[in-house]
Structure formats: structure tokens, C-alpha cells
Amino acid sequence: MTALPTVLFVCVHNAGRSQMAAGYLRALGGDAVRVLSAGSAPADRINPVAVAAMAEEGIDITAEVPSILTTESVAESDVVITMGCGDACPIFPGKRYEDWVLDDPAGGDLELVRRVRDEIRERVTALIAELGAGRSLG
């Protein structure tokens, strides 16, 4: 892993789960980690319910734009976290891959999105500890 680890979050639409995970890692990881997110079939905008759920946590993801998964983004990442995108993610030797099985918040109400958000926060917090990066989570 490089001195400044790069983490890529991937889901199908890059509009919910991967954007929430990236938002948490940016907020909690600070300058100790580089964060990327992408989708195998990106939506045209971020899920507004995911935006609302993250705003409750004080994290603003309104400026984020869903982007397409590229081979280059995987190649430059140290850790690749997939969330329901199947085998769309290219595999490179020497990378750490994890698949986070999470409900898809697309079309879900705020309660569902909150549950997914909270599970993502727990996983991101654990990832930060494993990477030895981040700010105080107190």
C-alpha cells in the first residue's frame, strides 16, 4: 500500500451506497486517505434520500456526481470496496478487494437509507482503523 492509501467504492449506480461510503471516508479519514467512487452503470444524479440521510450526519454529498467505473480508477487504488456490482470490477494483483453486502437504497424510504448509512459508517470506521488513518471519531 502507498504512503497515502487510495480507496475506491463501487456500486451499480454510484448514487447511494458508494457515495455515502465515500462521504464518510472523506469526513472521517481526512487527509490520511484518498477517496474515489464509481459505478458500473452510473445514474444521472445522487439519490436525494441518500443526500438527506448523510446531511443528518453533517456530511454534504450534494456536489458529488455519479461516475463510470474505469480500469484506471481500479489500477490506482489500494483498496477496492464493491457493493452489489457483481463482477464488473476489474481485478489487479496486489490490490485489497472487499465486497460489502448491503441493501440497495435505490427507491427506498429514509428509514431504509438510514439503516444502510449506519452500516456503512460502521464499516468505514473499521476500514479507517485497519488503514491506520483518520481523525478522532469521538
Side-chain angles (χ1 to χ4, degrees):
M1 199 168 306
T2 60
L4 182 67
T6 298
V7 177
L8 170 64
F9 294 103
V10 183
C11 68
V12 176
H13 297 119
N14 192 221
R17 294 167 290 187
S18 58
Q19 292 289 353
M20 290 190 288
Y24 271 127
L25 189 54
R26 284 185 189 103
L28 302 174
D31 295 335
V33 64
R34 182 170 169 244
V35 182
L36 305 172
S37 71
S40 54
D44 60 347
R45 66 185 175 109
I46 302 294
N47 179 339
V49 184
V51 170
M54 292 302 285
E56 292 177 348
E57 296 283 290
I59 298 172
D60 181 5
I61 60 171
T62 57
E64 301 304 321
V65 177
S67 61
I68 188 75
L69 175 65
T70 65
T71 301
E72 293 78 19
S73 63
V74 177
E76 67 187 77
S77 298
D78 298 296
V79 180
V80 180
I81 309 287
T82 58
M83 303 173 199
C85 60
D87 59 1
C89 193
I91 304 295
F92 287 91
K95 308 273 179 213
R96 173 178 165 185
Y97 291 88
E98 290 184 27
D99 184 45
W100 291 358
V101 179
L102 300 161
D103 290 334
D104 186 350
D109 64 9
L110 188 56
E111 278 305 309
L112 168 67
V113 176
R114 282 178 179 143
R115 284 193 304 274
V116 173
R117 175 202 66 198
D118 293 347
E119 187 171 347
I120 288 171
R121 180 185 170 107
E122 288 178 23
R123 291 174 185 237
V124 167
T125 300
L127 178 64
I128 289 169
E130 292 167 13
L131 295 173
R135 301 176 180 154
S136 169
L137 302 177

